[in-house]
Amino acid sequence: MTSQPASDGLFESFRRAEMLIARSRPLDALQALGPVLESQPNDASVHLLAGRAYLNSAQLHRAEEAFGRVIDLDPSDHYARFALGKALQRQGRLAEAQAQLKMAAAMDPRPEYQEALGEVLARIAVEGAEPA
């Protein structure tokens, strides 16, 4: 027996989770993604998708862990750094958020990365916190 049917099922679960996130159903996406996470613990794309679902369902510590795992697996993933920065920002950990957003913007100067960094810098300025 080959592993093809199992991998087809995992692929379908991954695609279903993507679709559920696109439809703003992150908890359902996490349920669909469960077997994929268990089967593919070193796949950055799986952890990235889980991180998005956690972030969209306000499970900020879990999102932080998932995006951190992506960065461990692929330090050049600018989106994971951006998303980690957003998770940290939502937890009020502005200096840590700034560091991640700064790296993301340096790696890929997308407008949304620049805007997110600007928001954190403005909040740091207003709250009088120490920038990173």
Side-chain angles (χ1 to χ4, degrees), residues 82-99:
F82 165 74
L84 176 57
K86 295 299 284 182
L88 293 166
Q89 177 185 8
R90 287 177 60 185
Q91 293 177 64
R93 294 163 54 193
L94 300 180
E96 292 171 86
Q98 178 195 0

Side-chain angles (χ1 to χ4, degrees), residues 3 6 10 14 16 28 34 45 55 64 68 72 78 85 87-88 90 105 112-113 126-127 132:
S3 64
L10 292 175
F14 183 86
R16 178 168 164 67
D28 293 331
S45 64
L55 189 63
E64 179 183 347
D72 288 344
H78 55 84
L88 293 166
R90 287 177 60 185
E112 59 264 31
Y113 295 2
V126 167
E127 294 180 9

